[in-house]
Amino acid sequence: MDLETPLTNVKGVGPARAALLEAKGLVTVEDLLAYVPFRYEDRSNVKTIAQLAPGEMATVIASVHSAKLSGFKRRNLGMFEARFTDASRAILVGKWFHGGYLANVLGDGMRVALFGKVEFDSYSGELTMLHPEFEILSGDEEGDATLHVGRVVPIYEGIGKITTRQLRIFTHRILGELGPIEDPLPEHLRARFKLPDRATAIREAHFPPPESDLRLFNAFRSQAQFRLIFEEFFWLECGVALKRSKARTVTGIAFEINAKIRERVRQMLPFRPTGAQKRVIQEIVADMREAHPMNRLLQGDVGSGKTIVAAEAGVIAIENGYQVAVLAPTEILAAQHAFYFRRILTPLGYTTVLLTGSFTNREKEKLKQLISGGLAQVVVGTHALLEKDVEFHRLGLAIVDEQHRFGVMQRLQLAQKGAQPDVLVMTATPIPRTLAMTLYGDLDVSTIDELPPGRKPIVTKHATADGIERVYSFLKRQVLEGRQAYVVYPVIEESETQAMKAAQQMYEHLSREVFPDLAVGLMHGRLGGDEKEAVMQRFKDGAIQILVSTTVIEVGMDVPNASVMVVEQAERFGLAQLHQLRGRVGRGAAQSYCILVTEKMNDTARERIRTLVDSNDGFHIAEIDLKLRGPGEFFGTRQSGLPALRIANVLRDAEILVVARREAVEFVARPPGEEDLRRAVAYIRDHWQRRYGLVTVG
Ligand code: ADP
Ligand code: MG
């Protein structure tokens, strides 16, 4: 057995289990060995129930003496209570709220290992554990009892129906049959950090040797775990460094900047850029002058003024005789950008066109001619821009807004419409810089960390649905003072039609019953492109006072007079989305308000709402979001181009990441020997390419 052996060759892994494992991305022996325990339990010194003391975390091995379910059995709402006993004849009570499902799991006489906090119930005078973790020890013919008790045992996250116990058995079996494995990590690093070799690290990460300090293991800081985490980051960062050094050998456009061009940029600016805007434009300009393609991420909070920075870069490209493409995820945002670019670029004599999916074929044909003939200098559009037959005369700068809505594929498709154009991607979901530099891999990062002057922080309030009357009367007072407002309804991705219906109904309710004297408008995703533009225009002009909408307005609306944002069923939105929605207000001089109305909330929803009420800072919000959702979900699927980390965790292991990154950059720039670098490149190619996706390293 070696690392490449398919898991189906492991005894006990049949087709059904193999399918479950594969769904988790676990196909080979190496994959399963990378699936490390999330916790370790010391069962070497198991206590008897009689020895337990209230307040301690403890493991006991005991049998179910009796079990009962009280409460609403059918809806799984009841409390499940099992009484356990062991050789000491004492009783321990395990309690599980909503534990109805356990009635079919824990039966009389079963032997189990229980782990949890011991408490003393002064009412009944009994020792109890609330929601203890447990593992059934009897009734599993595959079981080798000495693997599960009487030692330190690894606890794995179950995979579908595959339990922690089965995963322990498989891993143990594999480690017993695995031949020698090579250690790809450069020798000098192993020596410097006193790292165990790979085989030892893997073995100990699954089965810590006796006498290990379990606190270290449970904190993921044993030498074995450190080595695996470090290694994973190291290869990732080597891959990133190699990609970067390779990108520096590609020839791109060296844009020229002279006094005349600087003057043109100055002419265009409708206001004085903030210090942060000046700094990032300098970073972008430096890239544009280089004879290599720029690959830069511009991050900044909602409303921090990224668009004008993009426009400055655009002027430079155009003055050099090139075209600019701007890709946006929604029609509304594309229309907003087209509007913005036209307003500031038409006076300079440039033509901006908008291309979206909702144009007729005739219109599209005409636009495509303008684009391929080079008559349009700026081309703004949605996915429709990416279609094959959209050809540019001379594309020099490709801009992707709200890049988290697109994948690497689309960024590449857009760039391929030119000959190595510069690429600028923008995002309003900013993350701490060190993290961004690492995780966005091949992108350099610029950050706008300052808002335009004179912005008043938005006041955010939480209201419950039964207080909606007060929300509406507040909204009405604001409108009567001359402001405008948004009322947003949640869209569930799968059913835009339903969301549209909900918004439509609400629109009728609000316009007829609640605000009969005010001008209420409706916006949703099913409107045609020009209908959307017409609604947007009427809202801009003030002809619509209250705009009822689905989340299609999340990005793109820029109406400074709008000062109230009401989000209904706010518990159904994600943090980033709520922050974006809130960013639609607070763009003018008046005090703005965001009111989050909720119906029923769970704990994380409550945490999200609290975060927004407490903070207006996009960086802080992104960090909390990252914590609440976990890095995997936060950064999205493979589509986003980020390799999935298996053992390392960017939040928990941030300091190790910094060290690994430093070592990787150093290693790629000054490898100890040619042979070391060659081996590393080969290793990354064989093991990481699949996870990087498209881009080839080395
Ligand atoms: P975002 O970063 O969210 O894309 P925008 O580019 O839409 O932000 O800018 C938000 C608003 O702030 C726009 O109305 C823009 O014109 C305005 N703005 C941007 N920069 C400045 C500045 N330096 N001074 C004044 N207003 C600015
Ligand atoms: Mg923007």
Side-chain angles (χ1 to χ4, degrees):
M1 187 177 287
D2 62 24
L3 292 176
E4 257 91 85
T5 306
L7 288 170
T8 43
N9 289 12
V10 177
K11 184 171 157 257
V13 182
R17 284 173 178 166
L20 288 171
L21 293 168
E22 191 172 348
K24 264 264 183 195
L26 309 180
V27 179
T28 64
V29 156
E30 183 169 25
D31 295 335
L32 191 61
L33 290 178
Y35 193 77
V36 292
F38 72 96
R39 192 166 70 70
Y40 303 82
E41 207 172 291
D42 189 355
R43 294 185 189 161
S44 56
N45 198 0
V46 178
K47 295 199 165 170
T48 65
I49 296 177
Q51 289 167 329
L52 294 178
E56 70 177 342
M57 298 293 294
T59 302
V60 293
I61 311 278
S63 305
V64 180
H65 177 268
S66 62
K68 71 164 192 263
L69 179 62
S70 49
F72 308 97
K73 294 185 190 155
R74 254 194 285 130
R75 289 165 56 211
N76 251 349
L77 290 179
M79 164 133 92
F80 186 77
E81 210 181 287
R83 304 172 73 76
F84 298 92
T85 186
D86 63 7
S88 73
R89 317 277 297 268
I91 293 281
L92 172 71
V93 184
K95 291 182 179 178
W96 288 266
F97 292 106
H98 302 287
Y101 66 99
L102 289 173
N104 302 320
V105 178
L106 285 178
D108 288 2
M110 274 182 182
R111 228 163 77 82
V112 296
L114 287 163
F115 174 76
K117 184 164 184 206
V118 183
E119 281 165 81
F120 179 71
D121 182 342
S122 54
Y123 181 71
S124 63
E126 288 172 324
L127 289 176
T128 60
M129 280 187 186
L130 197 57
H131 288 250
E133 305 229 3
F134 69 90
E135 188 177 318
I136 296 167
L137 300 177
S138 55
D140 185 347
E141 75 291 351
E142 292 167 314
D144 164 7
T146 61
L147 185 56
H148 310 291
V149 288
R151 63 188 296 166
V152 169
V153 290
I155 310 290
Y156 301 87
E157 201 96 55
I159 299 178
K161 286 201 169 118
I162 308 178
T163 61
T164 180
R165 180 180 170 85
Q166 279 161 338
L167 288 166
R168 190 181 304 136
I169 292 167
F170 296 152
T171 308
H172 191 254
R173 203 164 271 163
I174 288 170
L175 288 172
E177 292 176 32
L178 189 65
I181 57 177
E182 65 164 330
D183 193 337
L185 201 62
E187 187 57 49
H188 70 283
L189 290 176
R190 257 193 285 160
R192 168 127 29 101
F193 295 99
K194 300 196 176 54
L195 302 175
D197 65 65
R198 186 162 186 230
T200 309
I202 291 176
R203 197 172 296 276
E204 294 190 354
H206 288 279
F207 296 97
E211 313 294 312
S212 302
D213 182 348
L214 276 203
R215 278 169 313 182
L216 274 184
F217 272 85
N218 279 321
F220 277 77
R221 286 297 176 272
S222 66
Q223 278 304 88
Q225 291 157 310
F226 181 91
R227 136 111 214 192
L228 297 177
I229 293 166
F230 176 86
E231 182 179 13
E232 189 165 39
F233 281 141
F234 178 76
W235 294 125
L236 167 66
E237 293 296 341
C238 279
V240 168
L242 286 165
K243 261 207 271 187
R244 281 168 186 268
S245 69
K246 194 175 174 205
R248 277 194 288 274
T249 66
V250 175
T251 309
I253 308 162
F255 291 98
E256 200 190 310
I257 320 271
N258 52 32
K260 178 180 161 253
I261 296 178
R262 284 183 210 280
E263 185 47 37
R264 296 287 269 173
V265 171
R266 259 193 296 276
Q267 269 176 17
M268 170 213 57
L269 287 174
F271 36 64
R272 276 167 67 121
T274 60
Q277 284 170 323
K278 280 195 200 136
R279 179 171 40 76
V280 300
I281 189 67
Q282 270 164 18
E283 291 167 358
I284 292 168
V285 166
D287 277 7
M288 291 181 75
R289 298 175 81 157
E290 292 273 335
H292 311 298
M294 165 169 79
N295 256 311
R296 190 167 279 278
L297 171 74
L298 174 57
Q299 55 171 7
D301 207 345
V302 210
S304 61
K306 295 183 289 295
T307 324
I308 197 73
V309 171
E312 288 184 78
V315 172
I316 294 169
I318 297 167
E319 289 293 317
N320 275 266
Y322 287 90
Q323 289 170 295
V324 180
V326 183
L327 180 65
T330 66
E331 279 187 15
I332 292 179
L333 182 56
Q336 169 65 41
H337 277 327
F339 176 88
Y340 196 96
F341 282 103
R342 263 184 209 130
R343 196 177 64 198
I344 60 177
L345 298 180
T346 310
L348 299 186
Y350 309 148
T351 303
T352 300
V353 298
L354 173 66
L355 180 69
T356 69
S358 63
F359 287 100
T360 64
N361 284 340
R362 278 256 304 285
E363 290 168 324
K364 278 191 199 157
E365 277 318 308
K366 261 198 356 233
L367 288 168
K368 283 177 198 161
Q369 275 174 18
L370 287 177
I371 299 167
S372 63
L375 295 172
Q377 282 81 32
V378 181
V379 182
V380 183
T382 54
H383 286 85
L385 263 192
L386 299 177
E387 279 164 27
K388 261 218 183 62
D389 57 349
V390 178
E391 285 166 10
F392 283 77
H393 174 62
R394 208 164 173 236
L395 178 62
L397 175 64
I399 298 171
V400 180
D401 197 9
E402 301 300 337
Q403 68 95 33
H404 60 283
R405 305 280 199 96
F406 294 102
V408 215
M409 259 315 254
Q410 285 141 332
R411 192 166 94 207
L412 235 80
Q413 271 173 344
L414 185 65
Q416 274 159 5
K417 297 201 175 278
Q420 308 292 352
D422 280 357
V423 176
L424 179 66
V425 303
M426 307 198 284
T427 180
T429 309
I431 56 171
R433 203 182 143 78
T434 44
L435 214 56
M437 285 191 333
T438 290
L439 293 165
Y440 291 121
D442 53 333
L443 296 171
D444 294 302
V445 180
S446 289
T447 304
I448 305 185
D449 51 8
E450 179 186 351
L451 292 181
R455 294 271 174 83
K456 291 200 183 78
I458 300 164
V459 174
T460 302
K461 297 274 183 203
H462 173 217
T464 49
D466 49 20
I468 195 72
E469 296 303 328
R470 284 178 46 212
V471 174
Y472 289 155
S473 59
F474 172 74
L475 198 153
K476 185 166 182 177
R477 281 202 304 280
Q478 286 282 310
V479 171
L480 292 178
E481 281 175 26
R483 303 279 92 75
Q484 288 167 279
Y486 299 95
V487 180
V488 175
Y489 282 84
V491 172
I492 316 144
E493 296 272 316
E494 298 78 54
S495 71
E496 224 207 292
T497 318
Q498 262 181 1
M500 179 203 74
K501 276 191 196 142
Q504 176 97 37
Q505 267 174 16
M506 197 36 75
Y507 161 72
E508 276 157 26
H509 171 66
L510 291 181
S511 59
R512 290 195 195 137
E513 288 150 47
V514 187
F515 307 115
D517 319 326
L518 302 180
V520 182
L522 174 64
M523 175 78 102
H524 59 71
R526 289 290 155 91
L527 292 179
D530 36 1
E531 289 172 298
K532 276 194 202 120
E533 226 173 323
V535 173
M536 202 163 105
Q537 197 56 52
R538 286 176 53 223
F539 191 60
K540 273 193 161 103
D541 296 343
I544 293 174
Q545 294 167 299
I546 298 173
L547 187 60
V548 177
S549 177
T550 60
T551 49
V552 291
I553 61 149
E554 178 186 341
V555 287
M557 293 294 273
D558 184 23
V559 178
N561 191 48
S563 69
V564 187
M565 165 63 68
V566 177
V567 183
E568 304 240 4
Q569 294 179 38
E571 71 272 16
R572 296 170 67 173
F573 293 95
L575 252 186
Q577 206 177 10
L578 287 170
H579 182 59
Q580 284 268 352
L581 280 169
R582 175 168 65 178
R584 295 311 107 204
V585 297
R587 297 180 164 240
Q591 175 61 56
S592 287
Y593 303 89
C594 173
I595 303 167
L596 304 171
V597 184
T598 60
E599 286 178 12
K600 39 180 183 260
M601 285 202 283
N602 59 22
D603 287 346
T604 50
R606 202 162 287 125
E607 178 93 29
R608 289 200 296 268
I609 304 286
R610 187 173 338 122
T611 303
L612 287 162
V613 169
D614 290 348
S615 173
N616 268 309
D617 176 359
F619 283 86
H620 173 70
I621 289 167
E623 262 182 285
I624 302 277
D625 201 17
L626 189 59
K627 284 196 181 120
L628 289 179
R629 286 198 288 160
E633 216 190 307
F634 181 86
F635 292 111
T637 56
R638 292 237 167 117
Q639 241 241 118
S640 67
L642 303 167
L645 293 166
R646 292 173 150 173
I647 298 173
N649 173 316
V650 292
L651 289 179
R652 184 191 63 208
D653 306 324
E655 335 90 79
I656 304 180
L657 170 59
V658 172
V659 177
R661 180 184 168 82
R662 196 182 61 215
E663 293 299 333
V665 168
E666 176 65 24
F667 177 74
V668 170
R670 278 172 291 277
E674 280 303 305
E675 177 56 22
D676 298 86
L677 186 61
R678 231 178 34 76
R679 271 185 46 199
V681 169
Y683 181 76
I684 295 170
R685 187 183 311 117
D686 294 346
H687 291 81
W688 279 80
Q689 207 82 312
R690 170 161 70 109
R691 290 154 81 180
Y692 272 120
L694 300 166
V695 192
T696 342
V697 298

